[in-house]
Amino acid sequence: AQSVTQPDIHITVSEGASLELRCNYSYGATPYLFWYVQSPGQGLQLLLKYFSGDTLVQGIKGFEAEFKRSQSSFNLRKPSVHWSDAAEYFCAVGPSNDYKLSFGAGTTVTVRA
Amino acid sequence: DADVTQTPRNRITKTGKRIMLECSQTKGHDRMYWYRQDPGLGLRLIYYSFDVKDINKGEISDGYSVSRQAQAKFSLSLESAIPNQTALYFCATKGSNNEQFFGPGTRLTVL
């Protein structure tokens, strides 16, 4: 069965500092991997996705993520955080031949001035 | 206009009442999903539909039912609401590249 673990429940970062959110997945084959962001009171918005090819993927809002098969990880990064990045972030995994995503529990990011 | 809309956005109801949450989409996608979100648990899949005639249970379907009235409409019902169904509910559609598009959510409180 597929599953996702986001080890960090809450991260606080200073504006302008770098951010890294961890995601570990469990899946038997090559997964489809996603990062979504949920701003307060909003639905989920896709930041980026990985299906195959280059293991470093670029997304919207200056985010990137790196797929590491050996570590079963898909960590999200941003070099310089803005106050508007305060939100909850979800990692998700789905098999390539089906369409049911499994989500992690989420990481809440607080940005301090 | 939003591609995926949900109504109502907020609802407070009492234990035992029947509740329907509605979802409409203009993306033309065949696949639609209902999730619930609880703090610390992320999103869990309730039901999903591949098309109007194909509806499937997700991981937490007990206490819920769905109806796919048309390609664009997918409703979630709680036949007899209970307090532990208090949650944030999301509808989503799936595009051709496995990306899911989410509605804004419905916050349901069962007293």
Side-chain angles (χ1 to χ4, degrees), chain A residues 4-47:
Chain A
V4 177
T5 301
Q6 293 181 245
D8 305 304
I9 297 173
H10 190 195
I11 288 179
T12 298
V13 61
S14 297
E15 191 168 16
S18 63
L19 174 68
E20 181 168 14
L21 304 182
R22 296 183 290 164
C23 172
N24 295 100
Y25 69 89
S26 173
Y27 185 65
T30 299
Y32 283 15
L33 293 158
F34 305 82
W35 274 100
Y36 285 86
V37 61
Q38 183 182 25
S39 298
Q42 304 296 314
L44 278 72
Q45 180 184 20
L46 182 69
L47 284 175

Side-chain angles (χ1 to χ4, degrees), chain B residues 39 44 49 57 78 94:
Chain B
R44 292 180 291 166
S49 171
K57 293 182 177 180
L78 289 67
K94 194 200 77 68

Side-chain angles (χ1 to χ4, degrees), chain B residues 16-110:
Chain B
K17 294 292 187 181
R18 184 178 187 274
I19 296 297
M20 178 180 286
L21 309 183
E22 299 187 350
C23 176
S24 295
Q25 53 116 343
T26 58
K27 300 189 75 67
H29 293 160
D30 288 327
R31 299 182 184 233
M32 298 186 72
Y33 304 78
W34 275 105
Y35 293 90
R36 65 176 279 175
Q37 182 183 16
D38 299 278
L41 296 178
L43 277 75
R44 292 180 291 166
L45 183 63
I46 305 172
Y47 271 95
Y48 60 104
S49 171
F50 287 167
D51 61 38
V52 175
K53 298 181 180 179
D54 188 351
I55 292 176
N56 304 276
K57 293 182 177 180
E59 58 183 306
I60 55 164
S61 59
D62 288 347
Y64 301 95
S65 63
V66 292
S67 173
R68 184 81 183 267
Q69 301 93 326
Q71 185 201 42
K73 297 185 181 298
F74 192 36
S75 300
L76 176 72
S77 293
L78 289 67
E79 296 301 325
S80 179
I82 56 177
N84 74 2
Q85 291 177 312
T86 293
L88 187 55
Y89 290 84
F90 286 103
C91 174
T93 71
K94 194 200 77 68
S96 58
N97 60 358
N98 215 14
E99 177 181 346
Q100 293 194 15
F101 298 86
F102 286 81
T106 295
R107 185 168 297 280
L108 177 66
T109 302
V110 183

